């Protein structure tokens, strides 16, 4: 009779652990998003990039790929900063040609870039 209770207790503990891991993974930065290959959904997954900016990125990128960060900042209005209270995107989650933004955090710098097909 004790065995079923013990098994049920272990199952609850295991489920709680799985939920805790899932939640922690959901808030951890997965990978940097490459501006020259990311889909609109991938771009919008970056804090501060909404529909308007992701659309502008796709239009500009369709004309020619971004050469580097200064090229991106020149061509995309409102993307010249490093994020935060100014309303600009959190550039630490992005890469241009595999290079992180100069102001990127150490965690984002070490993350591999996502190589997605261009739409």
């Amino acid at each position: 009779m004790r065995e079923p209770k013990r098994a049920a207790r272990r199952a609850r503990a295991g489920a709680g652990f799985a939920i805790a891991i899932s939640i922690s993974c959901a808030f951890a930065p997965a990978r940097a998003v490459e501006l020259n290959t990311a889909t609109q959904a991938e771009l919008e997954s970056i804090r501060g990039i909404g529909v308007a900016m992701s659309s502008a990125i796709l239009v500009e990128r369709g004309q020619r790929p971004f050469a580097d960060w200064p090229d991106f900042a020149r061509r995309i209005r409102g993307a010249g900063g490093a994020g935060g209270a100014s309303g600009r995107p959190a550039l630490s989650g992005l890469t241009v040609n595999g290079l992180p933004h100069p102001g990127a955090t150490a965690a984002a710098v070490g993350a591999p870039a996502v190589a997605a097909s261009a739409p």
Side-chain angles (χ1 to χ4, degrees):
M1 192 122 130
R2 294 184 78 146
E3 207 50 44
K5 287 183 181 180
R6 191 175 296 157
R9 202 172 325 136
R10 285 182 186 156
R12 283 192 303 270
F17 179 74
I19 290 170
I21 294 297
S22 297
I23 290 171
S24 67
C25 290
F27 292 105
R31 295 182 210 185
V33 175
E34 172 59 46
L35 282 168
N36 283 321
T37 58
T39 64
Q40 187 162 7
E42 289 170 329
L43 291 170
E44 291 173 14
S45 73
I46 302 297
R47 181 178 52 86
I49 296 182
V51 175
M53 186 174 288
S54 65
S55 296
I57 290 169
L58 295 176
V59 167
E60 283 294 322
R61 187 179 77 194
Q63 294 174 9
R64 71 179 188 279
F66 298 106
D68 51 25
W69 282 105
D71 181 40
F72 173 73
R74 277 190 304 274
R75 293 166 53 193
I76 302 298
R77 183 178 178 172
S86 66
R88 294 180 175 159
L91 301 178
S92 63
L94 299 169
T95 61
V96 175
N97 295 323
L99 299 173
H101 188 268
T105 63
V109 171
V114 173
S117 59

